[in-house]
Amino acid sequence: MNVLLLNVLHLILHMASSSQHETIVTLMPNVLVVKVDQKVFTETQVPLRCGDYQDTEVIWRNGKERLENKGNQINVEVVEMMGGNYSCHNAAGDYLNHTLVLVQDIPSPNRTRRVLEKSHDTDEYIRCLAKNYSGIFHCSWKKTEYRMSAAVVFVQVGRTISCSEDSDGEGLTCQDRDSCPFAEELSRIKLTVYFRTNYLLEDYTITPFYIREIVKPDKIDITKVEGNTFQWGYPATWSRPCPYFPLTFRVKVVQHEASCDSKEKVFISETIINATEFTVRCSYKKYCFCLGAKDDLVDSQWSQWTRYEVKNKPKKH
């Protein structure tokens, strides 16, 4: 009697403990997510429903393996991180429906990230940039060495925004269909990307942003060089008209073959101007002219440097 009582108490405690460490949610049609605490052992009973097939003999498979469970509604057991792709069929073997069961670690400050690497520049997993104010922006990431096969399962995004995955699987291109370049944005963009590796699910949420906070002009093309005078225009991809979307420019002169980011090999320190022309007043025979641009009206990002190497011929006496 005492042994039986102890077994019953153990079962009750196990069920109570399991319920605290697991949650089942619907991510999208035909996709369930079991959220578990990886720090503890979990066994989760997941209910599956084939559809409206009450009067039909329904058989189930997990991949190619046929299950003993039969019927329109069944329960399957998910042990720790072992999800599955469950399909239901009629007695003749015809496909009726399916449910993909993924497993995700419950979010916590110290949870292990496996799919994406943090950027060394921004300390973020995903970085989004826009070339202008058209409402189109691009988000990119870098997968870890051991999760190169990870694929985007779902993108959750606010406003009237649609996104499509890049062909190389290393980014998203998104567009706000109701965006107006001349109107002020009223709400930030909230974006979460869900990645799947086998049956493991990870999500990465980007800090909400306005387009104006991620806008970054394309590199500037230098259109004309006469002696030490340089001229340029606005990038072809930048928003028009230019007076409504003004750019400010930074120019810098460094030693020949030095990096534009160099702080030591500098002839002329970084200078901020609004003109589209600059004359390098120096007698250096070799130097590198560096040029960058950013939105003049908001605190946004600078474009990549445009480099132009100069090799002046010595004058004949």
Side-chain angles (χ1 to χ4, degrees):
M1 181 68 178
N2 290 338
V3 174
L4 179 60
L5 180 60
L6 286 173
N7 287 337
V8 172
L9 286 173
H10 175 76
L11 178 60
I12 293 174
L13 288 173
H14 175 74
M15 292 175 63
S17 175
S18 296
S19 63
Q20 295 173 4
H21 298 290
E22 58 197 38
T23 307
I24 303 173
V25 298
T26 300
L27 178 64
M28 55 191 292
N30 298 93
V31 180
L32 295 179
V33 179
V34 182
K35 297 190 176 184
V36 302
D37 186 348
Q38 287 189 339
K39 296 189 295 294
V40 300
F41 177 81
T42 56
E43 293 177 314
T44 309
Q45 293 295 319
V46 179
L48 301 180
R49 186 171 186 271
C50 186
D52 297 324
Y53 300 106
Q54 302 297 336
D55 300 325
T56 303
E57 181 181 351
V58 178
I59 59 175
W60 289 82
R61 295 181 181 276
N62 181 12
K64 296 181 179 180
E65 179 185 0
R66 179 167 175 171
L67 305 182
E68 295 181 358
N69 312 50
K70 292 183 180 181
N72 188 53
Q73 296 184 6
I74 65 170
N75 285 339
V76 294
E77 185 176 68
V78 173
V79 179
E80 295 193 297
M81 307 301 289
M82 298 301 294
N85 190 8
Y86 298 91
S87 59
C88 52
H89 309 257
N90 61 20
D94 299 324
Y95 167 85
L96 300 175
N97 204 347
H98 76 278
T99 300
L100 177 64
V101 179
L102 303 176
V103 183
Q104 182 179 22
D105 191 15
I106 292 176
S108 65
N110 299 320
R111 65 171 168 166
T112 302
R113 294 290 202 167
R114 297 179 174 85
V115 175
L116 301 185
E117 293 183 3
K118 273 191 176 183
S119 168
H120 298 296
D121 299 329
T122 62
D123 198 37
E124 296 178 342
Y125 290 102
I126 299 177
R127 186 185 187 190
C128 296
L129 295 172
K131 295 182 178 182
N132 50 47
Y133 289 97
S134 65
I136 299 175
F137 60 93
H138 184 263
C139 300
S140 58
W141 53 74
K142 183 180 179 181
K143 297 176 185 176
T144 60
E145 180 182 357
Y146 304 104
R147 291 291 186 275
M148 297 302 293
S149 62
V152 174
V153 176
F154 183 62
V155 178
Q156 186 176 28
V157 61
R159 298 190 358 190
T160 56
I161 296 175
S162 59
C163 298
S164 60
E165 186 179 7
D166 297 348
S167 59
D168 60 7
E170 296 182 356
L172 294 171
T173 300
C174 303
Q175 181 172 12
D176 187 347
R177 297 186 297 276
D178 291 341
S179 175
C180 175
F182 305 97
E184 183 177 358
E185 295 174 275
L186 300 178
S187 61
R188 293 180 182 272
I189 296 172
K190 300 177 181 178
L191 191 147
T192 300
V193 185
Y194 294 81
F195 293 87
R196 170 194 171 189
T197 309
N198 295 325
Y199 298 114
L200 175 66
L201 183 74
E202 284 189 13
D203 68 89
Y204 294 83
T205 299
I206 304 168
T207 303
F209 58 87
Y210 294 111
I211 292 290
R212 63 176 178 267
E213 294 174 331
I214 65 167
V215 72
K216 180 180 179 180
D218 273 340
K219 290 176 65 174
I220 304 297
D221 288 329
I222 296 174
T223 57
K224 188 177 182 180
V225 179
E226 287 188 353
N228 291 323
T229 298
F230 300 83
Q231 295 179 3
W232 59 87
Y234 280 37
T237 55
W238 186 245
S239 297
R240 297 296 196 267
C242 296
Y244 195 88
F245 300 98
L247 291 175
T248 190
F249 304 95
R250 60 175 177 174
V251 296
K252 184 178 180 180
V253 178
V254 299
Q255 293 182 22
H256 180 65
E257 296 182 351
S259 167
C260 286
D261 292 317
S262 175
K263 296 181 180 179
E264 298 176 353
K265 302 177 180 180
V266 178
F267 289 149
I268 299 178
S269 299
E270 185 174 307
T271 304
I272 307 300
I273 62 175
N274 291 108
T276 56
E277 179 178 303
F278 187 82
T279 299
V280 177
R281 304 188 184 281
C282 67
S283 58
Y284 306 115
K285 295 178 181 179
K286 292 183 179 181
Y287 64 85
C288 180
F289 177 74
C290 302
L291 173 66
K294 68 182 287 294
D295 191 317
D296 185 45
L297 303 179
V298 299
D299 185 19
S300 58
Q301 302 178 59
W302 286 101
S303 69
Q304 290 183 330
W305 286 111
T306 297
R307 290 172 49 90
Y308 191 96
E309 293 186 0
V310 175
K311 298 179 182 179
N312 290 324
K313 295 181 180 179
K315 295 181 180 179
K316 296 182 179 180
H317 297 284

